[in-house]
Amino acid sequence: MQNTTESAEDRLIARYFRPLAKHPGALGLGDDAAVLTPPEGCDLVLTTDGVIAGVHFFADDAPDMVARKALRMNLSDLAAKGAKPLGFLLSVALPAATDEAWIAAFAAGIGEDAERYGLPLLGGDTDRTPGPTSVSIAAFGAVPRGKMVRRSTAKPGDSIIVTGTIGDAALGVLLRRDAKLAARWRLTEAFAAYLQQRYLLPQPRNALAEAVQQHASAAMDISDGFAGDLAKLCRASKVAAEIDVGRVPLSDAARAVVAADAAAMETALTGGDDYEIVLTLAPDKLAPFRDAAKRAGVAVTEVGRIAAGEGARFLRDGKALAFARASFSHF
């Protein structure tokens, strides 16, 4: 006989989210809050990010991909701070028309990545909304006390490093909006699929977090575009940066796009959704960091240098590029 004192929301949580709350501090999602004790000698690192249908993802994107993207955005922030993941809180607002199959797939996706990255669900909230689907996550990590890598501590003479490749997701969003671009850019099916997958599913660089914590002088996650996020780091650190655009790492797919449409390079540099890390290193830290990145299986590329002054300049053949919009912004 069904327990009539249990609400539909309670049943939804019990069916889809309680099985993911394996950390003892989650208390089986049966209380008003969770308990999290940081490792001895560590600081807590807190971050939050979220996604809204029609803004950060397309309404018909697969629900498991929506879930994984939302979680990985937060994991990327933790990685850039050099933090080890500890747990997360999840808040979901769903339109009334959302069916249980969507919720089941969403929960399966977020559960898979919670296991993959060692970031257990600790609690959260579920709501109905008259607006679009909204997912908000608050994630928690740990670093040795006083060792969180900030964006305000870059020094003149530091090398500038980026992980992975830049611009894939921004180009993938354009393809998602206009499939005819694939023909205009003369992309193979494999290249077009690769770029769209990079938009759908970020690859946070948590395998490199310890090396970032040990070697970087400053770092931040690239989410709003390489050009704009580097400018933020420079403002926070009160320094300047010079980037050799020819050294910015592009995937083969992105190179194919730029070869067909040179203007797409600006989109790659400014478009956002990379979820890579930009970091600065003292010269004597470069070799050990490269070694650590190789062991972690993460590609890293030196693209420029920090200098005295202010502002980030992107140079091609010695000439500074001017961008119509240097960064994604909600406002």
Side-chain angles (χ1 to χ4, degrees), residues 286-313:
L286 186 54
F289 180 76
R290 285 188 185 279
D291 290 343
K294 186 175 181 180
R295 290 193 297 272
V298 178
V300 297
T301 306
E302 184 179 11
V303 295
R305 192 74 59 171
I306 295 293
E310 59 182 32
R313 296 202 306 158

Side-chain angles (χ1 to χ4, degrees), residues 57-96:
F57 66 93
F58 294 89
D60 59 349
D61 283 348
D64 61 319
M65 291 295 186
V66 174
R68 294 167 72 187
K69 180 172 185 175
L71 191 64
R72 291 182 184 209
M73 289 162 62
N74 286 271
L75 281 158
S76 184
D77 278 327
L78 293 180
K81 301 298 98 184
K84 178 181 178 180
L86 292 179
F88 73 102
L89 302 175
L90 168 67
S91 294
V92 185
L94 301 170

Side-chain angles (χ1 to χ4, degrees), residues 83-157:
K84 178 181 178 180
L86 292 179
F88 73 102
L89 302 175
L90 168 67
S91 294
V92 185
L94 301 170
T98 306
D99 59 31
E100 285 210 19
W102 195 100
I103 298 169
F106 177 92
I110 211 160
E112 180 181 326
D113 268 6
E115 289 283 347
R116 181 194 302 268
Y117 291 100
L119 188 73
L121 176 65
L122 298 174
D125 189 35
T126 54
D127 291 294
R128 285 295 189 196
T129 177
T133 300
S134 174
V135 181
S136 181
I137 288 176
F140 310 95
V143 294
R145 192 156 293 149
K147 297 295 186 181
M148 188 186 86
V149 183
R150 300 173 62 183
R151 65 170 71 169
S152 61
T153 44
K155 300 289 188 293

